[in-house]
Amino acid sequence: MPSFNLLLLPGDGIGPEVMKEVEKVIAWLNINTDLKFETEYDLVGGSAYDNHGKAISNEAMKLAHGSDAVIFGAVGGPKWDSVPFDVRPEAGLLRLRKELDLFANLRPAICYKALADASSLKRELVEGLDILILRELTGGVYFGEPKEIIDLGNGQKKAIDTQVYHTHEIERIARVAFELAKTRKGKVTSTEKRNVMISGVFWNQVVTHIHKTEYPEMELEHILADACAMQLVREPKQFDLIVADNLFGDILSDEAAMLTGSMGMLPSASLGSLDEGTKKRNAMYEPVHGSAPDISGKGIANPIAEIASFAMALRYSFNRPLEADLIESSISSALDRNIRTPDIMQDGMEKIGTSAMADAIIEEMNSRIN
Ligand code: NAD
């Protein structure tokens, strides 16, 4: 019986509310499949700060390192706006990403048929959309040095950010892109700004080299990042998997995500390197949304992003695509029942809360195995 260890970090605001619903899905899998999940819990974010003065404890980090996957809720809220910078709630999230070396961020943009009218684009452009944006998460201009504002002493200042990429950083994200493409349509679109940035020329060269030497059977296309942004709103279905550096990936993944509707629908995965010995990789799964203090405690948060994040764990950490498909198709058919949490409410639909949405998804899962 395949047995896996999950660390659940619910966090703040609606984090614990949506995590409660994922626990129902985990319990369902424990009962109805051969999978066995053991779960451990810890604090992160503002709740951790309130408890012990840090955004995440060393003990929680130890659990994260020992787990097969971390399932994260959300952190932050106005209550902690004035805590010191190094212990602010987001510091917990950043420590997890850094210490687990989660360099590959996967953000799918899937447009469910029932929600195609909620997109800002026409239904025919987005219905059935299923693309994956792969963002390099630990390098590039967000981390490069120097990063400073210099006083020039003549009444002027200058600000510097530095875009830095090493060969190995681009190689490893390119390999993740091609490996993921094997499980999709076999096509990778790599994007950069090689027309104006030397780091873009380098990115292009390294991705091309990995393609030629290791994945010649895959299709690779290159597109400038500005053209990519334009094509994403013009004809998004031309793409399957887009790989980008930290900066362009940040922007393009938000753009692609909004093609599909609400924040409450968007899952994500962050992966580390594969350990060749144990064949395991560090991984964290989390909704794209934050702690939503405006709706926290009301029982109306949409649990789909968190549940879909767990489905990604089944796909990318546990190699169980059938169970991942089961959850994703159950989300789709729950939406076909015309039930909606308030964030995705449309005319003529029945408004329901967090638990009722998760229960409907689980009913759909039940109907598929019976
Ligand atoms: P947010 O994502 O929390 O909320 C933005 C809007 O989307 C709000 O109107 C909220 O009600 C709505 N929303 C978000 N998730 C929803 C869901 N599951 N169901 C229904 N509606 C949902 O972003 P924000 O308001 O900018 O930030 C709130 C707090 O969350 C801040 O402290 C911020 O720093 C933090 N934050 C944390 C993360 C994270 O933990 N990964 C990410 C983003 C923001």
Side-chain angles (χ1 to χ4, degrees):
M1 184 184 281
S3 172
F4 299 109
N5 210 334
L6 300 172
L7 173 62
L8 307 189
L9 296 173
D12 311 317
I14 63 167
E17 298 171 36
V18 292
M19 188 67 80
K20 213 171 110 204
E21 307 308 323
V22 170
E23 290 177 61
K24 291 182 187 167
V25 175
I26 296 169
W28 188 95
L29 290 171
N30 275 343
I31 293 169
N32 293 289
T33 70
D34 63 332
L35 286 163
K36 180 88 191 102
F37 290 106
E38 303 282 349
T39 48
E40 291 176 298
Y41 298 80
D42 217 311
L43 299 171
V44 67
S47 55
Y49 175 80
D50 287 348
N51 188 268
H52 49 60
K54 283 191 180 152
I56 190 161
S57 66
N58 293 340
E59 292 70 32
M61 285 306 305
K62 215 167 143 191
L63 290 178
H65 279 285
S67 70
D68 292 306
V70 177
I71 313 295
F72 189 92
V75 291
K79 181 178 174 197
W80 301 285
D81 276 351
S82 55
V83 305
F85 189 73
D86 60 327
V87 289
R88 71 199 187 284
E90 289 76 10
L93 182 56
L94 295 182
R95 184 173 177 197
L96 281 158
R97 284 182 184 160
K98 186 159 182 266
E99 291 188 19
L100 298 178
D101 196 17
L102 303 173
F103 67 90
N105 182 236
L106 285 65
R107 279 180 56 174
I110 296 171
C111 186
Y112 294 97
K113 194 165 169 253
L115 291 184
D117 290 325
S119 170
S120 49
L121 296 191
K122 292 187 206 105
R123 172 177 273 274
E124 61 268 26
L125 287 180
V126 292
E127 188 174 337
L129 180 75
D130 178 358
I131 58 183
L132 183 64
I133 310 281
L134 177 63
R135 167 186 171 196
E136 199 290 324
L137 198 61
T138 52
V141 73
Y142 292 173
F143 296 97
E145 294 287 346
K147 182 187 251 329
E148 59 187 323
I149 299 174
I150 300 168
D151 196 331
L152 299 177
N154 59 357
Q156 294 285 305
K157 294 179 182 176
K158 80 172 175 185
I160 306 175
D161 283 297
T162 309
Q163 167 87 334
V164 188
Y165 270 109
H166 295 89
T167 314
H168 72 94
E169 292 175 294
I170 306 174
E171 283 178 347
R172 65 181 185 173
I173 194 80
R175 287 194 184 100
V176 174
F178 289 115
E179 289 297 327
L180 289 171
K182 280 185 189 167
T183 66
R184 298 175 60 92
K185 292 186 181 158
K187 177 182 163 191
V188 170
T189 303
S190 171
T191 186
E192 29 57 23
K193 285 282 289 175
R194 64 188 179 282
N195 53 339
V196 286
M197 295 172 72
I198 200 68
S199 57
V201 172
F202 186 53
W203 178 279
N204 184 291
Q205 285 170 355
V206 177
V207 174
T208 303
H209 177 72
I210 293 294
H211 174 239
K212 273 203 180 120
T213 53
E214 297 180 29
Y215 300 92
E217 72 286 8
M218 301 272 142
E219 191 185 338
L220 170 66
E221 70 172 6
H222 299 280
I223 185 169
L224 295 176
D226 49 346
C228 186
M230 190 262 284
Q231 289 296 336
L232 266 175
V233 287
R234 186 174 164 269
E235 200 194 332
K237 284 191 240 173
Q238 70 183 280
F239 297 113
D240 188 60
L241 189 159
I242 298 172
V243 60
D245 72 9
N246 205 342
L247 173 64
F248 296 135
D250 191 1
I251 297 166
L252 294 172
S253 61
D254 265 20
E255 184 190 1
M258 279 325 289
L259 301 177
T260 70
S262 154
M263 289 296 280
M265 302 290 301
L266 302 169
S268 81
S270 300
L271 308 179
S273 299
L274 190 67
D275 181 318
E276 288 303 335
T278 60
K279 294 286 170 209
K280 275 175 55 174
R281 59 168 95 236
N282 289 334
M284 184 160 79
Y285 298 88
E286 56 177 311
V288 169
H289 64 72
S291 58
D294 52 334
I295 58 165
S296 164
K298 296 184 179 163
I300 57 169
N302 188 341
I304 291 179
E306 187 77 67
I307 292 173
S309 299
F310 181 65
M312 290 185 82
L314 288 165
R315 199 179 291 288
Y316 298 118
S317 281
F318 308 128
N319 196 21
R320 297 293 291 235
L322 290 181
E323 284 79 3
D325 286 346
L326 173 75
I327 294 175
E328 286 160 1
S329 62
S330 297
I331 291 172
S332 185
S333 42
L335 293 169
D336 287 340
R337 292 184 186 185
N338 293 341
I339 50 173
R340 300 283 187 271
T341 44
D343 57 309
I344 50 172
M345 187 61 192
Q346 292 165 291
D347 283 348
M349 304 283 152
E350 182 194 348
K351 201 190 280 185
I352 59 164
T354 312
S355 285
M357 179 58 88
D359 292 346
I361 293 166
I362 287 171
E363 276 169 31
E364 291 296 329
M365 289 165 68
N366 272 326
S367 73
R368 279 166 166 71
I369 59 154
N370 290 330

